[in-house]
Structure formats: structure tokens, C-alpha cells
Amino acid sequence: MDKKRTIRLVLPQWPGASSADNRLSAQLLSLILPPDAGAETIQVPLAEGIVAGGENQPVVLQQIAETQAILAAKHPDHVITAGGGSVISAAPVDYLSGKYGEHLGLLWLGVHPDIADPSTSSHLSEMVAGNLLGQGDPALTVQQPLLPRQLMYAGLNEPLRPMDQAVTSLGIRHATAEDIASDSQSVLDWLAAEHLTRVAVHFDLDVLTPADFRSILPAQSYTEPADAGTGELALRQVVRLLQDVSAQAELVGFSIAAPLPQDALNLRQALSDISIFN
């Protein structure tokens, strides 16, 4: 049996962050990934023109197009993506949907569903899951949209915000952190009921509690996290969930999003103010 071909994408793509912060966050994540000599690692370039604090949609869309071209040329079986915001999953999940069709499930780990549309949001990062369902921001078109039954959210915060109501109207399965705190049954039931044999995972690090994991936005120093954006899962619970999922289906995609390595970023900024580094 041939070994599965795996591509690792280092994708510095977090709208609003500076170019330097985008690159450092993605590079640190790529270094943290367990080594795999058989996987090919590709650095997806970050286009010029990033403005810190801005939405940077043209730059982000250009990078998505470049990612789509890489995947089309390489034809991997598995795609691992390390990057910035939730938009990093757009191209990989669309590619995997084209490859595996109706047998692919998307397990979205995050406190927010990112399923808004232009009537409720102006931010692409809040619409990307909607785009993967063929909705969302019209500026981003996917080739192989998923059906609502192929998507499940885990770790979702409730109550849902007004921009999140498509979760209910489309009948998308979802589980709160409490639902999956001690077992993975609700997710396993989804896989079985929908006959999903392959799974792509979007792992937004904000699903983790700041008490357990510090390199995320809600854990910024000298700030109080907003309740609506704070996760409640421990890292060990996420690992247990994904081990259970991989025992029932083949993991073919894995995106890690929303890192904020604040200590590394702050240290680099501090050192840049010392003369010997200039």
C-alpha cells in the first residue's frame, strides 16, 4: 500500500496582524509540529501590502489563490496547515472536499462558528465556514462546497451571536465544551450517522481555556478576556477527541489557527529597541 502523500503548508495569514507578526506566528507553529521526514513543507508567501490593524482582504484572497494553485499542482492526500486566522482553512478544505467528496467531514474546533454572511459581518475571517458551505463572502468562491451535514462544530460557545444563526437555520450539528468534556460520543455519532470516513479538522486555538494554554488572544498579558471569546477546553481534552475521531475515520486535513505567541512577539519587539540589534 502506497504511503499517503502529505503536504505541510506554512500559511502566515491573520488579517489585522503586521507582516512580521504573521510570519513569526506561522513559523513558530511550523516548528512546533511533530517532525515528519516524509512530508513536504511549503512556505506560502505573504504578499506585500499588509497593514497592521486592517482587514487586508485583497492580500488574503491572493494568498488563498496561491494556496489553491499549490494544492492543485501537488495533489496531496493529507494537508496540514499552520498559520494565522481561520481563513487558512479555506483552500485546504475546499481541495479536500474535491478529492474526497461526500465522505469528507469537517470538524471545526472553535468558540465561534465563522459562518456569518455580508448582512451580519464585514470580516472574511467571520464568514469562512459559510464560504465552505457555498455561502459567506462573495469575494471568496470555493469549488467544492460542503453540505451542512458534513460540518460539525465542537467547543462552540453559547448562546450563539446574531451573526451565528446559520448554525441553527442550516441544522448544523454542534457541541459545546461541556458536551465533549468527558467523552467524544456526540462527534462519533455524527461521523457514523453521516457515513463520513475522512475528516478535516480546523483547530482554532481559541477553543482552549487560557488557564491551560497561554499563546492565544484571550490570554494576553494585563488584559481580562472577554467571556464570549474564551474557550473552555483543555488541550488534553482536544487530544482525546481527535484520537477518538482518528480511530473511526481517516484524518486527511489539519489546520491550526489563531496562535498568539505573545511572549515571543513581545520579546522580539523589546529587543528591537536595543541598539546592538539595529
Side-chain angles (χ1 to χ4, degrees):
M1 181 176 176
D2 293 336
K3 179 177 173 58
K4 300 290 186 179
R5 185 177 186 188
T6 300
I7 291 290
R8 293 185 174 201
L9 300 172
V10 182
L11 198 57
Q13 188 189 88
W14 196 336
S18 69
S19 296
D21 288 355
N22 260 305
R23 290 189 179 95
L24 180 58
S25 296
Q27 288 167 356
L28 286 173
L29 263 185
S30 69
L31 291 172
I32 290 168
L33 297 178
D36 181 359
E40 180 181 3
T41 298
I42 299 175
Q43 307 275 341
V44 183
L46 184 65
E48 298 301 322
I50 286 284
V51 178
E55 186 65 13
N56 297 301
Q57 188 180 87
V59 176
V60 172
L61 290 173
Q62 179 181 339
Q63 195 179 49
I64 290 173
E66 291 173 353
T67 307
Q68 291 170 326
I70 290 169
L71 293 170
K74 295 291 185 178
H75 301 293
D77 302 298
H78 296 169
V79 183
I80 298 170
T81 310
S86 57
V87 183
I88 67 167
S89 283
V93 173
D94 188 30
Y95 165 79
L96 292 168
S97 177
K99 185 174 182 66
Y100 296 114
E102 64 181 10
H103 300 294
L104 178 75
L106 172 58
L107 178 61
W108 192 281
L109 289 161
V111 294
H112 299 312
D114 296 332
I115 199 170
D117 61 43
S119 71
T120 55
S121 175
S122 60
H123 303 296
L124 180 59
S125 59
E126 294 176 338
M127 296 185 260
V128 62
N131 279 98
L132 290 169
L133 295 173
Q135 304 179 30
D137 191 329
L140 173 58
T141 302
V142 301
Q143 302 301 314
Q144 300 291 335
L146 300 168
L147 297 173
R149 69 170 187 84
Q150 293 175 270
L151 171 61
M152 180 169 182
Y153 292 105
L156 203 61
N157 277 5
E158 290 186 330
L160 296 173
R161 303 168 300 176
M163 70 173 68
D164 303 331
Q165 295 308 310
V167 174
T168 302
S169 63
L170 295 176
I172 297 171
R173 294 191 189 222
H174 56 283
T176 65
E178 183 179 2
D179 294 332
I180 57 174
S182 59
D183 67 67
S184 312
Q185 198 57 51
S186 59
V187 177
L188 301 181
D189 288 346
W190 162 65
L191 294 174
E194 302 300 341
H195 307 288
L196 303 171
T197 57
R198 295 179 173 89
V199 175
V201 174
H202 174 88
F203 180 18
D204 199 310
L205 292 171
D206 70 6
V207 79
L208 300 171
T209 170
D212 189 68
F213 190 81
R214 304 295 299 174
S215 295
I216 48 178
L217 182 60
Q220 287 188 93
S221 301
Y222 309 112
T223 62
E224 290 295 326
D227 290 341
T230 304
E232 299 177 6
L233 288 172
L235 190 55
R236 58 179 171 77
Q237 292 171 314
V238 172
V239 171
R240 182 260 302 155
L241 170 64
L242 297 181
Q243 288 175 332
D244 291 345
V245 167
S246 62
Q248 187 164 316
E250 179 185 358
L251 291 185
V252 296
F254 197 91
S255 299
I256 310 177
L260 184 66
Q262 58 171 340
D263 290 333
L265 295 170
N266 290 341
L267 179 59
R268 184 186 59 184
Q269 181 59 49
L271 293 176
S272 69
D273 293 332
I274 300 172
S275 62
I276 196 172
F277 294 102
N278 296 292

